[in-house]
Amino acid sequence: MSKHTLGAYPHMLGFEQLERLLERTAKTGNEGYPPFNIEQTSDFSYRITLAVAGFAEEDLNITVEDRQLVIRGRQHDDSEGRVFLHRGIAARQFQRSFVLADGVEVGEAAMENGLLHVDLTRAKPETVVQTIQIKKG
């Protein structure tokens, strides 16, 4: 079985960037931590919610890098001087990446009950009709 690329479809022009984005997304290494939800909150808005119990706002970093929303978390190890009989809650770091389509903007982020909410909006697409004149040769 051969791998099909978008270039294999001659009627789809200019989608090379999309193919690169899909390949990059597959390689981001997003593991299962932290778990997250993605909701569509209206026709043109979304909300990403990550379960980040144990993280404070200052432990989290949200950036947009080359059309990619990147959420990073790094907890500080405060176990110095403490004696644990069992340690099942580890201080760990994470990175979650989400590829953003053209026109999707990151709005506000808020923490609530151990959940990080990041709101996104998508610009309403404009309908464009263009008539192309044919030159006489």
Side-chain angles (χ1 to χ4, degrees), residues 40-134:
Q40 184 168 3
T41 53
S42 76
D43 287 343
F44 297 101
S45 63
Y46 309 92
R47 173 173 269 189
I48 298 172
T49 301
L50 283 85
V52 292
F55 286 86
E57 288 89 348
E58 55 270 7
D59 296 334
L60 301 169
N61 186 329
I62 303 169
T63 58
V64 177
E65 304 168 9
D66 191 26
R67 292 179 40 203
Q68 202 166 218
L69 171 65
V70 180
I71 304 171
R72 294 179 180 94
R74 176 173 292 218
Q75 288 179 309
H76 302 287
D77 189 5
D78 63 351
S79 62
E80 190 175 319
R82 297 167 70 184
V83 177
F84 291 94
L85 299 179
H86 171 76
R87 185 158 187 186
I89 302 173
R92 61 193 289 193
Q93 61 185 12
F94 71 86
Q95 176 175 312
R96 279 276 184 200
S97 300
F98 302 90
V99 176
L100 304 175
D102 284 335
V104 173
E105 298 291 328
V106 179
E108 67 178 22
M111 289 276 288
E112 176 184 25
N113 299 325
L115 299 174
L116 173 66
H117 302 288
V118 180
D119 292 323
L120 310 168
T121 56
R122 180 171 46 102
K124 186 175 180 181
E126 296 179 21
T127 302
V128 177
V129 177
Q130 183 179 4
T131 302
I132 309 300
Q133 298 297 322
I134 302 172

Side-chain angles (χ1 to χ4, degrees), residues 3-19:
K3 177 184 172 186
H4 289 286
T5 64
L6 293 175
Y9 300 95
H11 56 279
M12 297 184 72
L13 303 173
F15 285 93
E16 297 82 13
Q17 179 67 18
L18 176 62
E19 189 167 16

